[in-house]
């Protein structure tokens, strides 16, 4: 079976995060452009692959993977030679998984609350607590830094780092004025693979 990753992509989407990951991996991939304007992602051919009609989506070894964090974690495990995932018996695996999931389950909904001015539902009920708490937790994630796993760059940085840069590109408050987060953004943006793949407004 071919090891080529089929990558459904639109540059105006979270697919950029997976594009960055693919370039960090150096894995073989083929881009299939999906046009949002014509609603290609809502047509039967694409819905048969991802019933949510969302990007990013990949197909690898005959299996579809969706959800940016899951795709990035999957790719890190599928291509271990790139060294972007701690091994299953490495204690760093816990830290790695923790922050990858935190990006999707806490940072993203908290960010949407803030940016869309959604009514607060209360810290105890919201799994993500509050936007302020999430930013504080992200600062602890970078202790000691510079990456999630200290000196070791990993797939967790691809996802969380891309999300933080994405958030600041549309003016998310309280991030760039925190020195640790500002230094993290600079480190992410300095990666050649990021520069080759991610284009954000602003
Ligand atoms: N939970 C998904 C969200 C994916 C998502 O919302 N993608 C957007 C682009 S960033 C999309 O495909 N929107 C097109 C649409 O919904 O029509 C993930 O984390 O990957």
């Amino acid at each position: 079976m071919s090891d080529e990753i089929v990558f459904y992509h639109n540059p105006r989407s979270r697919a950029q995060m997976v594009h960055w990951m693919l370039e960090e991996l150096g894995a073989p991939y083929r881009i299939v452009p999906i046009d949002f304007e014509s609603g290609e992602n809502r047509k039967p051919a694409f819905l048969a692959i991802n019933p949510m009609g969302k990007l990013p989506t990949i197909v690898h070894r005959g299996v579809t993977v969706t959800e940016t964090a899951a795709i990035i974690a999957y790719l890190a495990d599928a291509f271990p030679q790139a060294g972007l995932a701690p091994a299953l018996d490495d204690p760093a695996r816990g830290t790695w998984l923790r922050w990858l999931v935190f990006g999707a389950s806490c940072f993203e909904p908290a960010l949407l609350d803030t940016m869309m001015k959604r009514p607060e539902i209360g810290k105890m009920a919201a799994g993500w607590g509050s936007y302020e708490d999430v930013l504080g937790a992200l600062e602890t994630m970078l202790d000691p830094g510079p990456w999630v796993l200290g000196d070791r760059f990993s797939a967790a940085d691809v996802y969380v780092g891309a999300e933080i840069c994405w958030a600041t590109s549309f003016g998310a408050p309280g991030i760039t004025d925190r020195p640790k987060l500002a230094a993290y953004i600079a480190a992410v943006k300095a990666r050649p693979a990021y520069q080759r793949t991610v284009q954000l407004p602003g």
Side-chain angles (χ1 to χ4, degrees):
M1 183 174 285
S2 159
D3 217 26
E4 183 184 68
I5 299 149
V6 181
F7 172 37
Y8 296 90
H9 179 258
N10 182 306
R12 286 178 36 239
S13 78
R14 291 167 175 86
Q16 291 192 66
M17 300 179 187
V18 167
H19 200 184
W20 174 24
M21 179 65 184
L22 288 165
E23 285 289 315
E24 290 283 355
L25 280 180
Y29 67 92
R30 172 166 56 89
I31 289 184
V32 179
I34 297 292
D35 182 29
F36 286 149
E37 274 66 40
S38 65
E40 195 179 358
N41 57 313
R42 300 279 165 194
K43 293 195 172 141
F46 186 73
L47 291 175
I49 301 162
N50 181 355
M52 291 292 285
K54 296 276 191 187
L55 298 179
T57 294
I58 65 162
V59 177
H60 183 227
R61 299 175 186 152
V63 171
T64 298
V65 189
T66 68
E67 311 316 310
T68 310
I71 295 171
I72 288 172
Y74 168 84
L75 289 172
D77 283 338
F79 295 88
Q81 61 277 17
L84 296 178
L88 290 178
D89 61 352
D90 181 339
R93 180 94 184 172
T95 307
W96 181 81
L97 262 182
R98 171 189 175 187
W99 294 110
L100 259 168
V101 173
F102 185 87
S105 64
C106 293
F107 182 53
E108 183 163 328
L111 179 68
L112 283 174
D113 276 355
T114 296
M115 298 309 286
M116 303 296 181
K117 302 189 180 3
R118 291 196 296 206
E120 278 193 23
I121 58 174
K123 252 191 203 199
M124 278 182 73
W128 50 96
S130 70
Y131 184 67
E132 275 301 303
D133 286 355
V134 165
L135 294 188
L138 288 173
E139 284 184 297
T140 71
M141 173 190 83
L142 295 170
D143 191 9
W147 304 113
V148 173
L149 300 181
D151 286 337
R152 180 175 171 189
F153 177 80
S154 74
D157 298 296
V158 174
Y159 183 54
V160 181
E163 276 198 308
I164 292 175
C165 292
W166 175 61
T168 55
S169 76
F170 53 84
I175 298 181
T176 49
D177 44 3
R178 292 174 194 247
K180 275 191 183 155
L181 297 182
Y184 189 54
I185 289 169
V188 163
K189 289 187 172 171
R191 293 197 69 90
Y194 178 95
Q195 292 169 6
R196 286 200 297 279
T197 50
V198 180
Q199 296 128 35
L200 296 172

